[in-house]
Amino acid sequence: MLKRQNPSTPEHRRDLAAHAGALSMSHNDSRSFFNLSQLVLSAGQIKPSPALKHSKITYFEVEIVDVQSKKQICIVDKVPPASTLLDVKHKFHKACPQWYPSRVGLQLERNGPFLKDSVSVQSLAVSSIVTLYFTDLGQQVGWTTFFLTEYTGPLLIYLLFYIRLSTIYDQVESRKNFRHPVVHLACFCHCLHYIRHLLETLFVHKFSEGHTPLKNMIKGCAFYWGFTSWIAYYINHPRYTPPSFGHKQVSYAALAFLMCEAGNHFINVALAQQTNSGNRTCFPSPTYNPFTWLFLLVSCPNYTYEAGSWISFTVMTQTLPVGIFAFLMVIQMSLWAQKKHKLYLKRFYPEVRRKAAMVPIIF
């Protein structure tokens, strides 16, 4: 007969303890695995460490070649792609200190146009080496300096003649002859014209980048200053004779002059506001200001008003020098208006095609 084992024996107790310990360990292991799984799931998906990107910047070499001799002047190396031609000119100036950036003219081709300073090097590059042709533009001046010098001269010169210096006129004759009111009115209108130009140069006009040769400023000053001396000498002369039709001629001509000056100013302000707002995609449109309604008929009303000012001044003073100056100014204004009108036709053809350049029907 088999003897039933007593459960209370020590061997049986050891077996139960071992079995309970195994169950406890397996339960603890499963619980630890569950906790680890919950931790991983709560942390989200494990992201791999990002690989380091090795960026390689391509630099350009700009070869500067003399446009006349075709000889290499220097090579501007390590030019970043985002650099402009102005940056290249500054580096070129460091290599060749005698060439200031303002007098350096760069061309992509020998007979091509001069490139603007804002052009990026990357837009010109076909390979890593960019060849540009160098031209010495001569001594340069800024546009603000150009116009301030050109307009300040006539203002001061006219006043010198107006006070009738003893070195210009005979003082005995000056005291005898009475000054007609048109002489004082002409001085006021002439000064108003150039003061307006000076103020607009400082506070209204936004000039394009770049400079102009010094010789252009000298020619402009010689033209304006010379004609101002001739005009002022005749109008302020002690023997000056007033206009033929007297007070009416002077009054109507002065009124037309002031209207043209006001119109010119408002047109320049409208053009400046369009430039400042960055709205260059459409042709300037007239506003509530009646002086801007001339935009409906011509594309360059500022030249129309400028020519009208000098024609009115000619009628008001009735002098030959003013008439010649006005005639030359009308020709010059018409040439500038034609040039600008062609640019407007390329950019705003539907809006400009039925407009004249400066004077309706004629130009």
Side-chain angles (χ1 to χ4, degrees):
M1 290 179 58
L2 294 175
K3 186 177 178 179
R4 190 173 63 176
Q5 188 174 3
N6 188 6
S8 62
T9 61
E11 292 80 3
H12 183 69
R13 285 197 297 270
R14 285 196 299 268
D15 293 340
L16 289 176
H19 181 68
L23 289 176
S24 175
M25 289 178 62
S26 63
H27 179 71
N28 291 336
D29 292 342
S30 63
R31 185 161 185 172
S32 298
F33 179 76
F34 175 76
N35 292 336
L36 179 62
S37 301
Q38 291 290 357
L39 179 63
V40 172
L41 292 176
S42 64
Q45 186 177 1
I46 299 178
K47 297 182 180 180
S49 58
L52 295 177
K53 296 183 180 179
H54 300 282
S55 59
K56 185 177 180 181
I57 300 176
T58 304
Y59 291 97
F60 294 101
E61 291 185 355
V62 180
E63 181 188 19
I64 308 295
V65 179
D66 186 77
V67 72
Q68 299 294 336
S69 62
K70 299 182 183 179
K71 294 181 179 180
Q72 183 188 97
I73 300 176
C74 73
I75 293 180
V76 181
D77 57 352
K78 293 185 179 180
V79 178
S83 298
T84 62
L85 286 186
L86 183 60
D87 301 327
V88 175
K89 289 182 180 181
H90 283 290
K91 292 185 177 181
F92 177 58
H93 173 56
K94 291 182 179 179
C96 304
Q98 69 272 24
W99 307 117
Y100 293 93
S102 60
R103 65 184 299 170
V104 174
L106 297 178
Q107 301 164 277
L108 196 60
E109 300 175 355
R110 290 190 63 196
N111 298 324
F114 290 108
L115 301 172
K116 295 183 177 181
D117 292 344
S118 58
V119 176
S120 64
V121 177
Q122 191 172 14
S123 63
L124 304 174
V126 179
S127 62
S128 60
I129 300 177
V130 181
T131 302
L132 297 176
Y133 293 94
F134 161 75
T135 301
D136 181 17
L137 300 177
Q139 187 65 36
Q140 304 287 302
V141 294
W143 285 110
T144 303
T145 304
F146 176 88
F147 287 112
L148 289 179
T149 306
E150 193 175 66
Y151 296 143
T152 303
L155 179 64
L156 300 178
I157 290 173
Y158 196 97
L159 292 176
L160 292 177
F161 282 90
Y162 176 73
I163 62 178
R164 291 184 176 179
L165 295 176
S166 58
T167 56
I168 302 175
Y169 303 112
D170 181 68
Q171 293 299 306
V172 177
E173 193 174 14
S174 299
R175 295 191 190 96
K176 288 182 179 179
N177 296 325
F178 171 74
R179 290 198 189 193
H180 194 274
V182 71
V183 176
H184 303 291
L185 182 61
C187 180
F188 169 78
C189 293
H190 191 274
C191 293
L192 176 66
H193 177 80
Y194 284 102
I195 289 174
R196 178 184 63 81
H197 274 303
L198 291 172
L199 294 177
E200 289 177 353
T201 300
L202 293 173
F203 304 109
V204 177
H205 294 302
K206 301 297 180 183
F207 299 105
S208 60
E209 61 180 10
H211 301 74
T212 185
L214 178 62
K215 59 181 181 181
N216 289 346
M217 188 179 74
I218 295 175
K219 290 190 294 185
C221 291
F223 177 77
Y224 279 96
W225 294 14
F227 263 103
T228 300
S229 302
W230 192 23
I231 291 171
Y233 176 80
Y234 272 82
I235 295 177
N236 296 285
H237 198 280
R239 298 182 182 180
Y240 169 75
T241 55
S244 304
F245 296 96
H247 180 71
K248 288 186 178 180
Q249 179 178 343
V250 174
S251 300
Y252 290 137
L255 180 61
F257 177 87
L258 295 176
M259 291 181 63
C260 289
E261 287 294 304
N264 201 341
H265 172 70
F266 288 120
I267 292 296
N268 290 331
V269 170
L271 294 174
Q273 289 177 350
Q274 184 191 30
T275 303
N276 294 337
S277 62
N279 186 16
R280 299 185 179 183
T281 59
C282 60
F283 183 76
S285 57
T287 63
Y288 63 89
N289 190 337
F291 288 103
T292 62
W293 295 350
L294 201 56
F295 273 123
L296 298 172
L297 301 176
V298 297
S299 59
C300 305
N302 52 327
Y303 296 142
T304 307
Y305 283 123
E306 183 75 13
S309 295
W310 286 112
I311 293 174
S312 303
F313 194 76
T314 303
V315 176
M316 182 178 63
T317 58
Q318 195 175 314
T319 53
L320 180 63
V322 182
I324 296 175
F325 181 74
F327 176 75
L328 296 177
M329 289 296 292
V330 169
I331 294 177
Q332 183 63 72
M333 294 296 167
S334 64
L335 295 176
W336 287 341
Q338 286 287 346
K339 184 178 179 180
K340 187 174 289 187
H341 186 71
K342 291 180 181 179
L343 296 177
Y344 284 153
L345 285 175
K346 293 180 181 179
R347 296 175 57 187
F348 319 112
Y349 176 74
E351 302 173 73
V352 185
R353 63 187 180 91
R354 293 185 178 181
K355 301 180 189 295
M358 190 177 81
V359 180
I361 301 173
I362 299 175
F363 297 108

